[in-house]
């Protein structure tokens, strides 16, 4: 006699094992069947090779100890195709002469289709149940309900509707478990010391259930509490970390600090590190990319854990033996960038005054360029007339085909070249002063914006400074963009002239003239219109 009832949902409506034994014993007596052993097993039949007593029973039947099996229903014997196939094969071979249930009997000479349908139905029940359970679990995960046993300090609700249970605060233990975290966060207590206090002074006991509980917590329990992200609002299910909707006991930062105090790596969740200067710098020795790393250290002066960022060479270029192993603190790197920005920073008063002078000069230049534009436009009109005359000569067959092709090509090339110059004259007359103003604005306020900006702002300011950012021997090297070269090379002289003259809006002609002379190098090195100006 084989009787089985698992603890899983599939068996909620199945008779208990004692009831199965009682009813099957009566059926055996009525039919005059001698039962050599009653085998009781409390395991699920959904997977093969998972029931040692069932496996041993089949082996004994194959050895000839018994000729049949008495069970409540066929699904008590199997809910998977492997075990069902084994039983069907034993019936077909005659080794097993009968499988007797409370409702029918299966024999070797029966239609094999009947037993196949029965076993297939039992197997399909498990498949459907698995799908339903998976849907329910996925729904709970999406809602943030952890489908797990609640850890100490929490408890599972006891709602009769299956799948509707969730985890709530255990009012008796929640505050005590929080004290465990508080003591650990001080950094002055070890887990064994906290364990002693929790058990002997606070009277903490495990949650009482029908079979166990109500006892002092163990050493493994205290470590399980201090490493479980559930207390920080997360939960791990099937190897994946999910955000829970239960009431967190601690913050994620507190959880991280405890992991560091325990010598662990920290929170078991994806981390996103944001670094301002990765992706734009390369190693000055091996040309590998420069990356950044975070380190958490205990700061004695501030008496707390602090996060530090360092930049270093990835050394990923094959065939190189890079010696750049120094880690550069981000503070060191930003000090260098700040010095470079200050080297091209101009006074706000100078910016406004210099732009007035440049705009005045721009008025004269615009007049000159207008004359040039008119001259170029006149030349272009003449070229089109010449092209029309050549076409007319060709139509009237007054010139040979080869001569016509040659002269048309020459004229079209001249027209194309002159049109480009004409467009350049038209656009640059206005754009150069706009770009100069943007450059001056950037040079005036970049330092302040760098000091107060976020990571993205700092990255934009750095990339506007130049190109070919190289880090070598702890120093950052930058090739400045063309529009900053005059400021770097000539501005100190211009500023000195500006301060000597102490100009006002009513600037004298002599001061205007001397300052304009100083500014001419900047004007001659106007930003390249084909490149991106500073933001």
């Amino acid at each position: 006699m084989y009787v089985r009832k698992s603890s899983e949902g599939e068996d909620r409506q199945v008779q208990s094992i004692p009831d199965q034994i009682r009813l099957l014993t009566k059926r055996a007596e009525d039919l005059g069947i001698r039962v050599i052993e009653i085998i009781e097993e409390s395991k699920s039949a959904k997977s093969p090779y998972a029931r040692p007593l069932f496996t041993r029973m089949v082996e004994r039947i194959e050895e000839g100890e018994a000729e049949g099996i008495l069970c409540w229903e066929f699904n008590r014997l199997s809910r998977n195709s492997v075990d069902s196939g084994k039983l069907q094969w034993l019936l077909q071979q005659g080794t097993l002469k009968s499988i007797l249930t409370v409702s029918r009997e299966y024999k070797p000479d029966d239609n094999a289709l009947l037993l196949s349908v029965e076993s297939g139905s039992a197997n399909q029940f498990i498949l459907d149940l698995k799908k339903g359970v998976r849907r329910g679990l996925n729904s709970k995960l999406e809602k943030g309900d952890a489908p797990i046993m609640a850890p100490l300090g929490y408890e599972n609700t006891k709602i009769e509707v299956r799948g509707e249970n969730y985890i709530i605060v255990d009012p008796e233990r929640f505050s005590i478990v929080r004290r465990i975290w508080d003591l650990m966060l001080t950094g002055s207590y070890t887990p064994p010391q906290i364990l002693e206090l929790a058990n002997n002074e606070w009277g903490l006991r495990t949650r009482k259930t029908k079979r166990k509980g109500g006892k002092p917590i163990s050493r493994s329990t205290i470590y399980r509490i201090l490493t479980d992200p559930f207390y920080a609002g997360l939960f791990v299910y099937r190897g994946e970390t999910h955000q829970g909707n239960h009431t967190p006991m601690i913050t994620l930062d507190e959880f991280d600090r405890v992991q560091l105090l325990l010598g662990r790596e920290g929170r078991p969740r994806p981390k996103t590190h944001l670094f301002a200067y990765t992706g734009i710098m390369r190693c000055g020795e091996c040309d590998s990319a420069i990356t950044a790393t975070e380190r958490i250290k205990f700061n004695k002066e501030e008496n707390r854990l602090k996060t530090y960022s360092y930049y270093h060479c990835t050394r990923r270029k094959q065939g190189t033996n890079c010696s750049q192993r120094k880690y550069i603190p981000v503070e060191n790197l930003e000090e260098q960038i700040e010095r470079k920005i200050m080297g091209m920073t101009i006074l706000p008063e100078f910016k406004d005054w210099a732009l007035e002078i440049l705009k005045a000069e721009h008025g004269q230049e615009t007049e000159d360029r207008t004359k040039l534009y008119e001259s170029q436009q006149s030349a272009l009109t003449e070229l089109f007339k010449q092209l029309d005359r050549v076409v007319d000569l060709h139509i009237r067959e007054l010139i040979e085909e080869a001569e016509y092709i040659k002269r048309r090509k020459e004229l079209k090339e001249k027209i194309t070249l002159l049109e480009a110059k004409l467009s350049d004259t038209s656009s640059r007359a206005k754009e150069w002063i706009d770009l100069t103003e943007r450059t001056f604005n950037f040079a005036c306020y970049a330092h302040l914006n760098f000091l107060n900006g976020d990571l993205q702002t700092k990255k934009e300011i750095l990339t506007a400074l130049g190109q070919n950012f190289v880090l070598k021997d702890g120093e950052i090297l930058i090739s400045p963009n063309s529009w900053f070269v005059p400021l770097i090379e000539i501005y100190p002289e211009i500023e000195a002239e500006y301060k000597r003259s102490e100009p006002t809006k009513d600037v004298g002609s002599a001061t205007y003239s001397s300052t304009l002379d100083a500014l001419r190098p900047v004007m001659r090195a106007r930003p390249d219109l084909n490149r991106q100006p500073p933001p």
Side-chain angles (χ1 to χ4, degrees):
M1 184 185 302
Y2 183 83
V3 291
R4 179 184 69 83
K5 183 176 175 69
S6 75
S7 59
E8 299 188 5
E10 62 172 277
D11 286 349
R12 284 183 180 270
Q13 306 303 322
V14 175
Q15 292 280 3
S16 67
I17 285 181
D19 285 344
Q20 291 181 50
I21 293 175
R22 179 176 55 81
L23 294 171
L24 290 174
T25 299
K26 185 177 184 307
R27 182 165 175 73
E29 291 173 352
D30 293 343
L31 297 175
I33 296 173
R34 183 173 68 90
V35 177
I36 64 171
E37 186 176 349
I38 298 176
I39 300 174
E40 302 177 29
E41 195 155 43
S42 299
K43 290 183 178 293
S44 173
K46 65 183 180 182
S47 300
Y49 317 116
R51 295 174 292 159
L53 296 182
F54 173 83
T55 301
R56 179 56 187 153
M57 178 187 70
V58 172
E59 291 174 350
R60 292 171 66 186
I61 290 173
E62 290 177 319
E63 292 169 358
E65 289 189 36
E67 296 181 336
I69 301 173
L70 188 63
C71 62
W72 180 258
E73 290 181 357
F74 186 81
N75 61 26
R76 298 300 86 204
L77 290 175
S78 174
R79 283 193 182 275
N80 68 83
S81 56
V82 174
D83 291 340
S84 297
K86 181 67 175 178
L87 294 173
Q88 285 184 272
W89 180 250
L90 291 176
L91 275 175
Q92 291 180 23
Q93 296 298 307
T95 305
L96 184 60
K97 294 184 169 53
S98 173
I99 296 178
L100 184 63
T101 70
V102 292
S103 58
R104 63 164 299 150
E105 183 178 15
Y106 303 92
K107 294 184 176 182
D109 55 353
D110 284 348
N111 190 331
L113 183 61
L114 295 176
L115 187 56
S116 297
V117 170
E118 186 81 16
S119 61
S121 176
N123 191 32
Q124 187 61 42
F125 176 85
I126 285 294
L127 295 176
D128 294 340
L129 183 67
K130 184 177 180 181
K131 292 178 182 178
V133 170
R134 185 172 294 171
R135 280 196 300 268
L137 286 174
N138 290 339
S139 176
K140 295 195 73 172
L141 292 175
E142 289 175 2
K143 293 186 293 184
D145 294 332
I148 60 175
M149 287 295 297
L152 196 64
Y154 295 86
E155 60 183 7
N156 298 92
T157 58
K158 298 178 181 179
I159 300 174
E160 289 298 325
V161 180
R162 190 180 180 201
E164 296 297 323
N165 288 289
Y166 53 96
I167 295 176
I168 58 176
V169 168
D170 182 347
E172 181 183 345
R173 299 172 179 82
F174 187 85
S175 60
I176 301 178
V177 177
R178 171 69 217 203
R179 292 176 68 183
I180 291 176
W181 286 97
D182 288 337
L183 283 187
M184 193 66 199
L185 284 165
T186 65
S188 302
Y189 291 83
T190 64
Q193 289 173 330
I194 299 174
L195 177 65
E196 182 73 16
L197 291 171
N199 283 333
N200 300 328
E201 294 190 16
W202 306 340
L204 180 61
R205 297 294 182 268
T206 58
R207 192 169 55 250
K208 181 68 175 170
T209 62
K210 290 182 179 179
R211 297 185 179 86
K212 59 182 181 179
K215 297 180 179 180
I217 62 174
S218 63
R219 186 185 182 96
S220 61
T221 300
I222 195 76
Y223 279 101
R224 187 160 55 248
I225 290 172
L226 293 173
T227 57
D228 191 348
F230 186 91
Y231 294 96
L234 307 174
F235 65 91
V236 179
Y237 186 73
R238 291 183 176 176
E240 294 185 1
T241 303
H242 302 269
Q243 180 65 53
N245 63 4
H246 57 276
T247 302
M249 185 178 291
I250 59 171
T251 66
L252 289 171
D253 288 337
E254 289 174 329
F255 179 78
D256 277 349
R257 184 178 179 189
V258 169
Q259 305 319 297
L260 290 167
L261 292 171
L262 292 173
R264 294 167 65 90
E265 294 181 356
R267 69 189 74 169
R269 64 184 189 278
K271 292 187 178 181
T272 301
H273 299 289
L274 298 176
F275 301 106
Y277 314 115
T278 54
I280 58 177
M281 293 188 295
R282 305 200 73 81
C283 175
E285 182 174 330
C286 69
D287 199 39
S288 296
I290 296 295
T291 189
T293 304
E294 277 190 355
R295 294 285 186 269
I296 301 177
K297 299 180 181 179
F298 187 79
N299 188 303
K300 293 183 179 179
E301 295 181 0
E302 300 180 16
N303 193 33
R304 67 183 182 90
L305 291 170
K306 195 172 180 180
T307 301
Y308 298 88
S309 297
Y310 299 90
Y311 285 80
H312 59 93
C313 175
T314 57
R315 298 192 293 276
R316 289 185 175 176
K317 284 291 183 73
Q318 295 183 353
T320 60
N321 186 20
C322 184
S323 63
Q324 299 294 311
R325 300 182 179 274
K326 184 177 180 180
Y327 280 57
I328 315 301
V330 66
E331 295 81 7
N332 186 319
L333 189 64
E334 290 191 341
E335 285 177 5
Q336 296 183 47
I337 297 172
E338 187 181 347
R339 286 197 299 269
K340 293 183 182 299
I341 295 174
M342 291 178 66
M344 57 184 69
T345 299
I346 64 177
L347 296 172
E349 312 92 87
F350 171 81
K351 179 206 72 165
D352 297 335
W353 185 68
L355 284 174
E356 286 183 16
I357 296 177
L358 290 177
K359 287 177 180 178
E361 177 70 10
H362 168 62
Q364 179 62 45
E365 179 166 330
T366 301
E367 184 179 342
D368 295 340
R369 284 183 176 270
T370 300
K371 294 178 180 178
L372 176 61
Y373 181 84
E374 291 173 351
S375 174
Q376 291 172 336
Q377 185 67 53
S378 176
L380 183 62
T381 302
E382 179 59 32
L383 285 173
F384 275 114
K385 289 181 179 179
Q386 291 181 30
L387 182 60
D388 289 340
R389 286 197 292 270
V390 169
V391 172
D392 182 62
L393 291 173
H394 178 251
I395 293 173
R396 294 164 58 189
E397 298 182 353
L398 298 176
I399 57 173
E400 298 290 336
E401 181 71 21
E403 179 66 16
Y404 163 72
I405 294 174
K406 178 183 176 182
R407 291 175 64 179
R408 186 184 64 175
K409 181 180 178 183
E410 291 174 351
L411 287 170
K412 282 192 172 184
E413 288 176 352
K414 290 180 180 180
I415 288 172
T416 302
L417 182 60
L418 191 54
E419 283 178 335
K421 290 181 178 180
L422 195 65
S423 175
D424 181 67
T425 301
S426 175
S427 61
R428 289 178 71 95
K430 176 67 173 66
E431 289 182 3
W432 80 264
I433 192 65
D434 292 340
L435 295 183
T436 302
E437 185 171 0
R438 291 171 68 180
T439 302
F440 276 20
N441 280 327
F442 179 84
C444 183
Y445 301 113
H447 184 221
L448 181 63
N449 293 336
F450 185 82
L451 292 178
N452 300 323
D454 56 17
L455 295 180
Q456 183 61 30
T457 299
K458 290 183 175 183
K459 189 168 189 174
E460 288 176 354
I461 290 174
L462 177 60
T463 53
L465 294 181
Q467 52 191 317
N468 299 327
F469 303 96
V470 173
L471 191 63
K472 185 177 182 181
D473 298 328
E475 297 291 331
I476 183 172
L477 306 174
I478 303 175
S479 300
N481 284 325
S482 60
W483 46 81
F484 290 123
V485 173
L487 291 178
I488 297 172
E489 296 179 350
I490 304 166
Y491 176 71
E493 177 187 344
I494 302 175
E495 183 180 311
E497 177 68 23
Y498 167 79
K499 288 181 177 179
R500 281 196 301 272
S501 61
E502 296 184 355
T504 64
K505 288 196 179 233
D506 300 324
V507 61
S509 59
T511 303
Y512 177 92
S513 177
S514 63
T515 306
L516 183 58
D517 288 340
L519 285 171
R520 289 192 187 280
V522 179
M523 297 166 60
R524 286 195 298 270
R526 291 168 192 151
D528 183 353
L529 296 182
N530 294 321
R531 296 178 59 186
Q532 182 66 32

